């Protein structure tokens, strides 16, 4: 049984007793957004992340979604990627391909991964250019408050340090306002070279979902969502604040235990 709250500033919180409940509801949520987007625009532009997120999306490969979802209308991107070969175990593309994309009938040309044969800087520039071309053709919508792309859905995880995509605490990329896609060469967790969507792009999306599991994330969840005051460090996850879009948090019970709004009886 999921518990759901709407926080006055931080979007909708959905708290789950176990990972099976979370992954079932996450599949429902993604499938519903895809259906609405395809009806309204004819396509569904989704950006993925790495980590445990892909495994939690696994129910999309099963009935009924493997048959009812209009996979041919999906255009798939990555909110961040490690600058490694596509067949490398650290690749978010490989993770998504093995865990999801190879099991459903997506159109291969609709899967937009980074160029893995160039530097991080070049990969970020090329990825930003590719997204610009798809904004021109309206495969990706454009924000009506900025010139940023407006993805139908951006799916994010969160690290125990509060990072999202490859936006790490106290890193200069958090200040990037002009580029849609940027790069880092000094990631605090390996591999060091990565490309990432910037905060303006994340916050221009129609929908952003942050999926968080595990007790080691509980303190970061508290700092990202609760009213902690101005003296607390501002985590990247707290900077996820869609301008006009909808923010939903999918959190399992161990990760939610320090939330002020969600006191559970053991």
């Amino acid at each position: 049984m999921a518990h759901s709250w709407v926080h006055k500033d931080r979007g909708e919180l959905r708290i789950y007793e176990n990972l099976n409940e979370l992954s079932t509801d996450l599949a429902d949520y993604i499938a519903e957004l895809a259906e609405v987007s395809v009806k309204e625009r004819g396509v569904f532009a989704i950006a993925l992340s790495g980590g445990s997120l892909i495994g939690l999306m696994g129910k999309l490969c099963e009935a009924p979604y493997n048959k009812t979802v209009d996979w041919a209308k999906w255009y798939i991107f990555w909110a961040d990627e490690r600058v490694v070969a596509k067949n490398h175990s650290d690749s978010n593309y490989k993770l998504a391909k093995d865990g999801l994309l190879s099991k459903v009938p997506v159109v291969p040309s609709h899967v937009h991964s980074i160029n893995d044969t160039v530097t991080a800087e070049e990969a970020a520039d090329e990825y930003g250019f590719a997204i610009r071309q798809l904004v021109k053709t309206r495969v990706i919508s454009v924000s009506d408050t900025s010139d940023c792309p407006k993805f139908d859905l951006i799916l994010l995880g969160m690290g125990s340090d509060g990072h999202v995509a490859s936006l790490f605490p106290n890193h200069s990329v958090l200040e990037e306002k002009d580029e849609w896609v940027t790069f880092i060469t000094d990631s605090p967790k390996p591999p060091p070279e990565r490309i990432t969507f910037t905060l303006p792009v994340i916050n221009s999306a129609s929908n952003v979902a942050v999926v968080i599991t595990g007790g080691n994330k509980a303190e970061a969840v508290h700092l990202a969502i609760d009213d902690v005051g101005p003296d607390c460090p501002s985590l990247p996850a707290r900077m996820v604040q869609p301008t006009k879009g909808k923010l939903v948090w999918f959190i399992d019970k161990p990760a939610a235990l320090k939330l002020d709004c969600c006191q559970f009886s053991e």
Side-chain angles (χ1 to χ4, degrees):
M1 178 67 187
H3 306 273
S4 182
W5 290 266
V6 176
H7 190 284
K8 64 183 175 66
D9 299 316
R10 303 298 294 134
E12 181 186 346
L13 313 181
R14 300 185 186 182
I15 316 296
Y16 300 89
E17 293 287 338
N18 57 61
L19 295 183
N20 186 57
E21 276 188 8
L22 189 156
S23 55
T24 299
D25 200 37
L26 182 63
D28 263 348
Y29 165 84
I30 296 169
E32 284 177 18
L33 286 182
E35 184 178 359
V36 168
S37 180
V38 169
K39 276 183 182 166
E40 289 180 353
R41 305 201 308 112
V43 295
F44 178 55
I46 179 174
L48 309 175
S49 300
S52 59
L53 175 67
I54 299 300
L56 293 166
M57 293 173 67
K59 288 196 185 318
L60 287 169
C61 305
E62 303 169 6
Y65 309 106
N66 57 346
K67 296 288 195 292
T68 58
V69 168
D70 193 350
W71 294 104
K73 303 291 177 32
W74 283 43
Y75 285 76
I76 295 152
F77 304 83
W78 277 264
D80 75 312
E81 178 58 286
R82 292 85 177 271
V83 184
V84 295
K86 285 189 175 68
N87 59 359
H88 193 284
S89 59
D90 284 333
S91 165
N92 286 344
Y93 167 81
K94 176 177 168 52
L95 184 69
K97 184 184 178 196
D98 293 350
L100 177 68
L101 302 180
S102 62
K103 301 176 180 180
V104 292
V106 293
V107 178
S109 63
H110 292 181
V111 178
H112 293 272
S113 55
I114 70 165
N115 182 346
D116 60 353
T117 65
V118 296
T119 67
E121 183 173 12
E122 290 167 327
D125 286 348
E126 286 188 19
Y127 208 53
F129 180 78
I131 290 171
R132 284 183 189 279
Q133 301 312 110
L134 291 165
V135 167
K136 283 182 182 174
T137 59
R138 291 299 184 264
V139 167
I140 306 168
S141 294
V142 65
S143 165
D144 50 10
T145 56
S146 69
D147 75 333
C148 278
K150 184 167 78 170
F151 285 89
D152 298 309
L153 173 61
I154 296 179
L155 285 167
L156 302 170
M158 185 191 77
S160 57
D161 61 353
H163 84 267
V164 291
S166 283
L167 301 170
F168 290 92
N170 305 311
H171 198 287
S172 58
V173 293
L174 294 170
E175 307 302 321
E176 178 59 60
K177 300 288 192 288
D178 298 324
E179 298 295 338
W180 292 356
V181 182
T182 190
F183 71 99
I184 62 172
T185 56
D186 56 353
S187 167
K189 56 183 285 192
E193 297 199 347
R194 297 157 178 248
I195 67 105
T196 183
F197 282 5
T198 56
L199 280 169
V201 168
I202 291 171
N203 287 332
S204 294
S206 294
N207 297 277
V208 180
V210 188
V211 183
I212 309 170
T213 62
N216 65 320
K217 313 269 181 77
E219 180 63 22
V221 167
H222 162 63
L223 292 174
I225 294 174
D226 284 329
D227 297 323
V228 292
D231 298 331
C232 277
S234 191
L235 301 184
R238 194 172 185 90
M239 300 175 189
V240 175
Q241 296 178 313
T243 314
K244 287 195 167 180
K246 187 176 180 190
L247 174 61
V248 182
W249 304 79
F250 291 80
I251 309 173
D252 76 342
K253 191 172 172 181
L257 283 177
K258 293 189 178 179
L259 278 172
D260 293 343
C261 64
C262 315
Q263 294 307 311
F264 300 99
S265 54
E266 288 302 322

